[in-house]
Amino acid sequence: MQKKYSWYSLLKAGLSNQDWDKAIPLSKPKPKYDVIIIGGGGHGLATAYYLAKECGITNVAVVEKGYIGGGNTGRNTTIIRSNYLRDEASSLYEHSMSLWEGLSEDLNFNVMFSQRGVYNLGHTLQDMRDIERRVNANVLNGVDAVVVDHKEIKEQIPIINTSKNVRYPIMGASFQARGGVARHDGVAWGFARAAANLGVDIIQNCEVIDIEVEEGRVKGVKTTQGDIMADRVGCVSAGHSSVIAKMAGLRLPVESHPLQAFVSEALKPILHTVVMSNAVHGYVSQSDKGDLVIGAGIDGYNSYAQRGSAKIVEHCAAAILELFPIFSRVRMNRQWGGIVDVCPDACPVISPTKVEGLYFNCGWGTGGFKATPGSGNVFAHTIAQDKQHDLAVPFHIDRFTTGALIDEHGAAGVAH
Amino acid sequence: MFLINCPYCKESRDQNEFSPAGEAFIARPQNPEALTDEEWADYVFYRTNHKGDHWEQWVHTSGCRKYFLVKRSTISHEVKEVATFGEVKGESAS
């Protein structure tokens, strides 16, 4: 495997159309590692990468039950922003944003991070008051944000419907210019490749079936490819976090729900930015390929099936069509669901557990993709030092016992 | 998408008529004052989030508006059993 892509290596392989090396080596598990990361999604791979790069721990395995980029990392709507209300949350997401801004160069892999801006629409007076409060909080926290009115929105996005004669007229929006989108599965491949280059083993098709705990300390994991020992285990398995926790005799304050999205056929460029609305519940952007990427909400019931109810899709489509009547004849190509683990306060858990050496990074709910580099970064430091990274401290699992919740439900433009 | 047989209406109706109302058999503690913070947190926030057959509460929102119990697979969404409160006990939850 070539270590580094360069314009020369791409030109050489491109002209001959051979010499394309494997992007990621296929690894088999060794008997023992310093750290095992359960879950080869974006967050897990980012954790492994920062463990190797910033913490000097390279004897690391990432075990993934499927294939890299095949879980939620490849199922989300790729929106990236950091305009959260609460200090704790906005610090964490802004940390992530600053890593996104240098990520392609850092990973030597084009993650196609495109800062095309994100609009969070307001449709009522109360929406606008909340937006102004959030924008003020963002500015105080050093996060770029402005309030825009409906005229400015119409100027920027001519195809949007700002008529007053609709059920939920657009009154204004918050706008984060540094927000945008990235190539989601590319993010997973980029982190996997960069981590592998630093010595991390990426082990695909390797499902964890049990966690070995002895006298309150983690010893390793049992997998479908045999037993693997480790001093520390980090669990980053999104929708299946409760299942993994149960293996170690733990309970979590999360529930798993299906979250749906769909994409249209490819169109010529028509929408140059990202538009989200909590009130009518839909969000949309256009990928570089040209398809409209549309995200819906979660179903209220628990599920581990990667599909949801048609009524959620219908509700979302209705909302998108009221915002963009021009999309009414667009044909949809694919529709799917992913399983998200939702915390009661819509904030993640990045925390040690009662089992020594076992750490959890879960509960990202519907908005984990934007946090990928930041989440991996603070979780890597948390595992390496056996002490929470400063930015992760408020996200300790004990907050559900002490009551120090970080109430981002409805406050941060979090779509639920 | 699935159908739920409401034990009160005695009819299989579209899931859209119903709303989920959380994990079943979580009884409010008899004496909250006596609970430790951990026990209280477990009651309020922590959930089984079971993968497999799961007992949960549903309400027939667009029908009789009564709450009842459903045993449903969280893997296939298949409804295995419906019951009124009291018909099944917490121990039978799986």
Side-chain angles (χ1 to χ4, degrees), chain A residues 124-391:
Chain A
T124 62
L125 276 175
Q126 188 55 46
D127 272 0
M128 291 314 296
R129 287 186 201 109
D130 290 341
I131 282 172
E132 280 184 31
R133 180 184 177 211
R134 178 160 50 79
V135 166
N136 285 337
N138 289 158
V139 170
L140 287 172
N141 278 323
V143 176
D144 71 305
V146 285
V147 179
V148 291
D149 64 14
H150 63 94
K151 285 191 200 117
E152 207 175 329
I153 296 172
K154 185 76 183 169
E155 241 166 65
Q156 289 297 322
I157 314 168
I159 58 167
I160 205 164
N161 181 13
T162 49
S163 160
K164 287 200 167 112
N165 298 319
V166 292
R167 177 67 183 84
Y168 297 104
I170 296 168
M171 296 185 74
S174 71
F175 178 63
Q176 186 179 22
R178 284 159 69 238
V181 291
R183 172 78 194 265
H184 51 185
D185 35 13
V187 173
W189 299 329
F191 271 118
R193 181 180 163 81
N197 268 339
L198 294 171
V200 172
D201 281 353
I202 315 283
I203 306 159
Q204 304 182 68
N205 297 311
C206 180
E207 183 175 356
V208 170
I209 44 182
D210 204 3
I211 296 179
E212 305 249 15
V213 179
E214 236 177 70
E215 290 168 6
R217 215 198 133 76
V218 74
K219 288 285 168 201
V221 297
K222 276 185 194 299
T223 76
T224 48
Q225 293 192 29
D227 296 358
I228 317 175
M229 307 285 283
D231 301 326
R232 293 172 192 187
V233 175
C235 176
V236 203
S237 55
H240 275 71
S241 296
S242 299
V243 177
I244 302 285
K246 200 175 166 189
M247 293 174 188
L250 299 171
R251 267 157 73 83
L252 293 175
V254 299
E255 286 193 298
S256 298
H257 297 273
L259 176 65
Q260 297 184 87
F262 39 109
V263 293
S264 75
E265 58 190 347
L267 308 172
K268 288 191 176 179
I270 191 164
L271 183 62
H272 69 287
T273 185
V274 182
V275 177
M276 310 180 66
S277 170
N278 292 343
V280 299
H281 216 145
Y283 32 105
V284 59
S285 66
Q286 189 175 21
S287 77
D288 292 339
K289 198 168 66 184
D291 38 13
L292 297 174
V293 184
I294 298 170
I298 61 168
D299 274 290
Y301 52 80
N302 288 18
S303 174
Y304 287 91
Q306 286 174 319
R307 60 178 184 274
S309 300
K311 89 165 171 183
I312 303 282
V313 175
E314 189 183 359
H315 180 71
C316 173
I320 295 294
L321 286 189
E322 187 169 275
L323 297 176
F324 298 100
I326 194 175
F327 293 161
S328 66
R329 300 291 177 88
V330 173
R331 284 170 296 193
M332 291 301 147
N333 233 354
R334 288 180 291 120
Q335 165 270 340
W336 66 91
I339 299 304
V340 297
D341 48 335
V342 179
C343 257
D345 59 354
C347 277
V349 168
I350 309 169
S351 179
T353 63
K354 282 176 193 149
V355 177
E356 225 180 305
L358 180 65
Y359 309 82
F360 266 84
N361 183 352
C362 63
W364 288 92
T366 59
F369 177 72
K370 66 177 81 67
T372 305
S375 157
N377 187 269
V378 299
F379 195 47
H381 285 274
T382 301
I383 293 173
Q385 286 146 28
D386 191 29
K387 178 178 170 289
Q388 281 182 296
H389 185 284
D390 286 348
L391 292 176

Side-chain angles (χ1 to χ4, degrees), chain A residues 240 242-243 246 251-256 300-305 307-311 344 397 400-401 405, chain B residues 1-2 15-16 18 20 23 37-38 41-42 45-51 54 56 58 72 74-77:
Chain A
H240 275 71
S242 299
V243 177
K246 200 175 166 189
R251 267 157 73 83
L252 293 175
V254 299
E255 286 193 298
S256 298
Y301 52 80
N302 288 18
S303 174
Y304 287 91
R307 60 178 184 274
S309 300
K311 89 165 171 183
I397 197 165
F400 297 100
T401 309
L405 304 190
Chain B
M1 271 309 238
F2 42 93
Q15 168 234 323
N16 286 353
F18 302 83
E23 186 178 324
D37 287 350
E38 282 78 18
D42 194 73
F45 294 121
Y46 284 70
R47 294 294 177 264
T48 309
N49 198 18
H50 186 65
K51 184 176 182 179
H54 182 60
E56 53 198 6
W58 285 74
R72 186 180 61 91
T74 54
I75 302 169
S76 68
H77 293 175

